[in-house]
Amino acid sequence: MHNPPRGPAYAIFYTALAVIAVPVNLVAIVVISRGQCGLSRCISQYLVFMAVTDLLVIITAVIMNHDGRIPSAYRIECLLKAIQYVYYPILAIVGVPVNIITIVTLTSRNCGLSKCVTRYLVAMSVGDLLVVILDLILRHIPIVYQEHFYFVRSLPVCNIHAVLLYAATDCSVWFTVTFTFDRFVAICCPKLKSKYCTEKSAAVVLGTVTVLSCLKNIIWYFMLLNTYWLGNVPWFCDFTGDVVQSLAWGTIEFLHYILTPCVPFVLILLLNALTVRHNLVSSRAHRRLRAHSSGENPRDPEMESRRKSIILLFVISANFILLWSTFMIYSVWNRMYDLGYHFTLDFFVMELGFMLQLTSCCTNTVIYAVTQTHFRQQLKNVLKDPLTAIFHLNTA
């Protein structure tokens, strides 16, 4: 018996086959078993048995047969790389204009948000835009399309690129943390709200985060060389063996990943938990007070405004945590592996982590549009204004 075919093409094929065939056969089994397809019981039983047999073949021959075919981890990795070949350019085409439109909408329109909140949301969009440019367009796309970007290897600016990229990433992450803390103060600390939740305070906080992020990431200029490696690993620049094996440099990089995004994870979860606890207690007391004073339970504008603010906060926080978790786990594991702590973690986890992390830079506009009615209306106006101007020019 000849050996089964191997290679990236077959790895992609078998993975796609498993992803499609399993749910298709399960759906077929459920639908036919219900007996509402206009078929006789005899034919229905034959079809159900055929679908069950096909499902078992897929499970045993494609999914479970690691030795006879290609390892599942390698199949998934090849499939993700094939998806990146299409997904990254689309993400770049969508991410840049989406973030620019969000910035324009928030800064030039009345979206029903306070100036303080608007400052934070604009800063988050600017941070996401910089990550899309520095990380997605200038780093990952050249790696995916290496055959078209060999000239990048001759550009001696990789360590500078790394400083700017990691500083932008830190800003994007910590802007989310500062926004979460601002909303925590606004909801849970009414005495401090008037002093902290102001446009001036937001500007000071955001400026401080930006400066600290830049200073923190200057270390990458000395850790990495100035030439591009074009390898899809957390270090995309060339480096010396001393840096990889050095305990001092390893500790510095480990602290880098602890500060971004491990500490933000903990802070966001803690602040959201405290916000939920405070909101539940105050909501019960507020409803009892209104019911006692008016004898009914009318719609409360204050509680409605607080509810919308909390929804926006939680959706942004959940989006960050879900899309950054995989990248955080792999980044910490990769550095510990280089230092001699050998834990088993497949390489495709890194590819998936990069894809999810980059996706998070393009989702805030959707979040604002779904959770904020005024922003959604102003976004429509921003998109319609150029079309209206073009129409008037053509009809003039």
Side-chain angles (χ1 to χ4, degrees):
M1 183 176 178
H2 67 279
N3 292 327
R6 297 178 180 273
Y10 292 101
I12 295 171
F13 171 75
Y14 286 125
T15 305
L17 182 63
V19 170
I20 295 173
V22 171
V24 164
N25 282 287
L26 287 174
V27 171
I29 294 169
V30 173
V31 172
I32 298 172
S33 300
R34 296 178 64 185
Q36 299 179 1
C37 299
L39 302 171
S40 65
R41 291 185 178 179
C42 178
I43 294 177
S44 296
Q45 288 183 357
Y46 276 116
L47 295 180
V48 168
F49 279 118
M50 290 168 62
V52 170
T53 303
D54 290 341
L55 179 61
L56 293 176
V57 169
I58 291 296
I59 294 174
T60 56
V62 178
I63 299 177
M64 298 178 62
N65 190 8
H66 299 298
D67 296 328
R69 299 240 180 228
I70 302 173
S72 295
Y74 180 67
R75 285 188 238 140
I76 297 173
E77 181 187 338
C78 291
L79 179 62
L80 289 176
K81 288 183 177 179
I83 293 173
Q84 288 173 359
Y85 205 81
V86 178
Y87 180 67
Y88 281 162
I90 294 176
L91 193 64
I93 293 171
V94 172
V96 173
V98 159
N99 281 292
I100 291 176
I101 291 173
T102 301
I103 295 169
V104 172
T105 303
L106 290 171
T107 54
S108 64
R109 305 281 176 153
N110 181 13
C111 298
L113 301 169
S114 67
K115 291 183 178 180
C116 175
V117 172
T118 300
R119 284 262 187 175
Y120 284 111
L121 299 186
V122 169
M124 290 163 62
S125 295
V126 172
D128 289 343
L129 177 61
L130 291 175
V131 172
V132 170
I133 294 172
L134 294 170
D135 200 359
L136 175 59
I137 297 176
L138 298 181
R139 173 190 178 182
H140 284 282
I141 289 180
I143 291 174
V144 172
Y145 292 87
Q146 287 190 31
E147 63 275 13
H148 302 293
F149 287 90
Y150 278 124
F151 68 91
V152 172
R153 294 178 182 271
S154 63
L155 301 177
V157 294
C158 190
N159 50 355
I160 298 175
H161 181 185
V163 172
L164 296 176
L165 188 158
Y166 292 125
T169 302
D170 282 3
C171 286
S172 178
V173 172
W174 281 96
F175 287 166
T176 304
V177 177
T178 56
F179 171 73
T180 305
F181 182 75
D182 177 86
R183 292 299 86 198
F184 166 77
V185 171
I187 295 171
C188 304
C189 308
K191 294 182 179 179
L192 186 60
K193 177 181 177 180
S194 59
K195 295 181 180 180
Y196 181 80
C197 299
T198 63
E199 187 178 9
K200 182 178 179 180
S201 295
V204 172
V205 170
L206 294 171
T208 303
V209 169
T210 302
V211 172
L212 291 177
S213 296
C214 293
L215 293 175
K216 166 182 172 288
N217 288 285
I218 290 177
I219 192 68
W220 293 102
Y221 181 85
F222 304 99
M223 284 184 63
L224 305 176
L225 301 179
N226 62 0
T227 53
Y228 286 90
W229 182 25
L230 288 183
N232 206 6
V233 294
W235 289 348
F236 60 101
C237 302
D238 284 327
F239 51 88
T240 63
D242 294 338
V243 171
V244 177
Q245 304 299 331
S246 170
L247 181 61
W249 288 117
T251 303
I252 291 173
E253 189 188 2
F254 191 76
L255 290 175
H256 167 80
Y257 292 125
I258 291 296
L259 290 174
T260 306
C262 294
V263 172
F265 267 52
V266 175
L267 291 177
I268 288 175
L269 290 173
L270 177 62
L271 291 171
N272 281 333
L274 294 175
T275 302
V276 169
R277 179 178 177 276
H278 178 273
N279 186 64
L280 290 175
V281 173
S282 61
S283 295
R284 292 194 192 102
H286 200 72
R287 282 196 298 268
R288 286 196 298 266
L289 181 62
R290 288 183 62 86
H292 178 74
S293 61
S294 60
E296 56 184 7
N297 189 22
R299 194 177 186 86
D300 187 350
E302 180 184 346
M303 295 305 297
E304 185 68 18
S305 175
R306 178 179 294 184
R307 185 182 69 85
K308 290 182 179 180
S309 179
I310 290 176
I311 290 174
L312 175 63
L313 170 64
F314 286 176
V315 174
I316 290 177
S317 301
N319 174 74
F320 168 76
I321 291 172
L322 291 175
L323 295 181
W324 273 81
S325 297
T326 307
F327 177 79
M328 179 193 71
I329 292 171
Y330 184 85
S331 297
V332 174
W333 168 85
N334 184 71
R335 173 30 83 180
M336 295 187 70
Y337 186 90
D338 289 336
L339 292 176
Y341 300 95
H342 292 170
F343 305 105
T344 301
L345 194 63
D346 292 319
F347 196 70
F348 74 85
V349 177
M350 179 194 69
E351 302 289 348
L352 181 61
F354 281 135
M355 294 174 68
L356 294 175
Q357 180 243 326
L358 292 170
T359 302
S360 70
C361 298
C362 305
T363 54
N364 281 346
T365 302
V366 177
I367 292 173
Y368 304 157
V370 171
T371 60
Q372 302 295 310
T373 306
H374 288 88
F375 176 85
R376 183 164 60 247
Q377 184 59 46
Q378 295 301 332
L379 181 62
K380 292 178 181 178
N381 294 336
V382 168
L383 296 175
K384 286 192 299 185
D385 285 349
L387 299 177
T388 303
I390 293 173
F391 176 77
H392 287 313
L393 287 174
N394 292 333
T395 56

Coordinates of all heavy atoms in Angstrom, one line a residue, residues 2 9 11 15 40 44 48 65 89 139 146 166 173 188 268 271 299 306 318 329-330 346-347 351 355 383 389:
H2 N 0.6 2.2 -0.9 CA 1.4 3.3 -1.0 C 1.2 4.3 0.1 O 0.1 4.3 0.7 CB 1.2 4.0 -2.4 CG -0.2 4.6 -2.5 ND1 -1.3 3.9 -2.9 CD2 -0.6 5.9 -2.3 CE1 -2.3 4.6 -2.9 NE2 -2.0 5.9 -2.6
A9 N -0.8 21.5 0.4 CA -2.1 21.4 -0.3 C -3.0 20.3 0.3 O -4.2 20.6 0.5 CB -1.8 21.1 -1.8
A11 N -2.7 19.1 3.3 CA -3.1 19.5 4.7 C -4.3 20.4 4.7 O -5.2 20.3 5.5 CB -1.9 20.1 5.3
T15 N -8.1 19.3 6.2 CA -8.7 20.1 7.2 C -10.0 20.7 6.8 O -11.0 20.7 7.5 CB -7.7 21.3 7.6 OG1 -6.4 20.7 7.9 CG2 -8.2 22.1 8.8
S40 N -40.2 8.2 2.3 CA -40.7 7.0 3.1 C -39.8 6.7 4.2 O -38.6 7.1 4.2 CB -40.9 5.8 2.2 OG -39.6 5.4 1.7
S44 N -35.7 7.0 4.3 CA -35.1 7.8 5.3 C -34.1 7.1 6.1 O -33.0 7.6 6.4 CB -36.2 8.4 6.2 OG -37.1 9.2 5.5
V48 N -30.2 8.0 6.5 CA -29.6 8.2 7.8 C -28.3 7.3 8.0 O -27.3 7.8 8.5 CB -30.6 8.0 8.9 CG1 -29.9 8.0 10.3 CG2 -31.7 9.1 8.9
N65 N -6.9 9.9 12.2 CA -5.7 9.2 11.6 C -4.5 10.1 11.5 O -4.2 10.5 10.4 CB -6.2 8.6 10.2 CG -5.1 7.6 9.7 OD1 -4.2 7.2 10.4 ND2 -5.3 7.2 8.5
P89 N -5.1 40.9 3.4 CA -5.4 42.0 2.5 C -6.8 42.6 2.7 O -7.0 43.8 2.7 CB -5.2 41.4 1.1 CG -4.3 40.3 1.3 CD -4.6 39.7 2.7
R139 N 4.0 44.5 8.5 CA 4.7 43.3 9.0 C 4.1 42.0 8.5 O 4.8 41.2 7.8 CB 4.6 43.3 10.6 CG 5.1 42.0 11.2 CD 4.8 41.9 12.7 NE 5.2 40.7 13.3 CZ 5.0 40.4 14.6 NH1 4.4 41.2 15.3 NH2 5.4 39.2 15.0
Q146 N 5.9 36.7 0.9 CA 7.3 36.9 1.0 C 7.9 37.0 -0.4 O 8.9 37.8 -0.6 CB 8.0 35.7 1.7 CG 7.8 35.7 3.2 CD 8.6 34.7 3.9 OE1 9.7 34.4 3.4 NE2 8.1 34.2 5.0
Y166 N 5.4 48.0 18.7 CA 5.1 47.6 20.1 C 4.6 48.7 20.9 O 3.7 48.5 21.8 CB 6.3 46.9 20.7 CG 6.6 45.6 20.1 CD1 7.9 45.3 19.6 CD2 5.7 44.6 20.0 CE1 8.2 44.1 19.0 CE2 6.0 43.4 19.4 CZ 7.3 43.1 18.9 OH 7.6 41.9 18.3
V173 N -3.8 48.8 23.7 CA -4.3 47.9 24.8 C -4.6 48.8 26.0 O -5.7 48.7 26.6 CB -3.2 46.9 25.1 CG1 -3.6 46.1 26.4 CG2 -3.1 45.9 24.0
C188 N -19.2 54.1 39.5 CA -19.0 53.6 40.9 C -18.5 54.7 41.9 O -18.6 54.5 43.1 CB -18.1 52.4 41.0 SG -18.6 51.0 39.9
I268 N -9.0 44.8 33.6 CA -10.3 44.9 32.9 C -11.3 44.0 33.6 O -12.4 44.4 33.9 CB -10.1 44.6 31.4 CG1 -9.4 45.8 30.7 CG2 -11.5 44.4 30.8 CD1 -9.1 45.5 29.3
L271 N -12.1 45.5 37.2 CA -12.9 46.7 37.1 C -14.3 46.4 36.6 O -15.3 47.0 37.1 CB -12.3 47.7 36.1 CG -10.9 48.3 36.6 CD1 -10.3 49.2 35.5 CD2 -11.2 49.2 37.9
R299 N -40.1 54.3 33.0 CA -38.8 54.2 32.4 C -37.9 55.3 33.0 O -38.3 56.5 33.1 CB -38.9 54.4 30.9 CG -37.7 54.0 30.2 CD -37.9 54.2 28.7 NE -36.8 53.7 27.9 CZ -36.6 52.5 27.5 NH1 -37.5 51.6 27.9 NH2 -35.6 52.1 26.8
R306 N -27.2 54.8 32.1 CA -26.2 54.0 32.7 C -26.1 52.6 32.0 O -25.0 52.0 31.8 CB -26.5 53.8 34.2 CG -25.5 52.9 34.9 CD -25.8 52.8 36.4 NE -25.6 54.1 37.1 CZ -25.7 54.3 38.4 NH1 -26.1 53.2 39.1 NH2 -25.6 55.5 38.9
A318 N -15.1 42.7 26.5 CA -15.2 41.3 26.1 C -14.5 41.1 24.8 O -13.8 40.0 24.5 CB -16.6 40.9 26.0
I329 N -1.4 33.9 25.4 CA -0.9 32.6 25.8 C 0.3 32.2 25.1 O 1.3 31.7 25.6 CB -2.1 31.6 25.7 CG1 -3.2 31.9 26.7 CG2 -1.6 30.2 25.9 CD1 -4.4 31.1 26.5
Y330 N 0.2 32.4 23.7 CA 1.4 31.9 22.9 C 2.6 32.8 23.2 O 3.7 32.2 23.2 CB 1.1 31.9 21.4 CG 2.2 31.4 20.6 CD1 2.3 30.0 20.4 CD2 3.2 32.2 20.1 CE1 3.3 29.5 19.6 CE2 4.2 31.7 19.3 CZ 4.3 30.3 19.1 OH 5.3 29.8 18.4
D346 N 1.1 23.8 20.0 CA 1.3 23.7 18.6 C 1.5 25.1 18.0 O 1.0 26.1 18.5 CB 0.0 23.0 17.9 CG -0.1 21.5 18.3 OD1 1.0 20.9 18.3 OD2 -1.2 21.1 18.6
F347 N 2.2 25.0 16.8 CA 2.6 26.3 16.2 C 1.4 27.1 15.6 O 1.5 28.3 15.5 CB 3.6 26.0 15.1 CG 4.4 27.1 14.6 CD1 5.3 27.7 15.3 CD2 4.1 27.7 13.3 CE1 6.1 28.8 14.9 CE2 4.8 28.8 12.8 CZ 5.8 29.4 13.6
E351 N -0.4 31.4 14.8 CA -1.0 32.0 13.7 C -2.4 32.4 14.0 O -2.9 33.5 13.6 CB -1.1 30.9 12.5 CG 0.3 30.4 12.1 CD 1.1 31.4 11.3 OE1 0.5 32.5 10.9 OE2 2.3 31.2 11.1
M355 N -4.1 36.4 14.0 CA -5.3 36.7 13.3 C -6.3 37.3 14.2 O -7.0 38.3 13.8 CB -5.8 35.4 12.6 CG -4.9 34.9 11.5 SD -5.5 33.3 10.8 CE -7.0 33.8 10.0
L383 N -21.2 58.7 5.9 CA -21.0 57.9 4.7 C -21.9 58.5 3.6 O -21.5 58.4 2.4 CB -21.5 56.5 5.0 CG -20.6 55.7 6.0 CD1 -21.2 54.3 6.3 CD2 -19.2 55.6 5.4
A389 N -22.8 64.9 -2.1 CA -22.0 65.9 -2.8 C -21.8 65.5 -4.2 O -21.9 66.4 -5.1 CB -20.7 66.2 -2.0

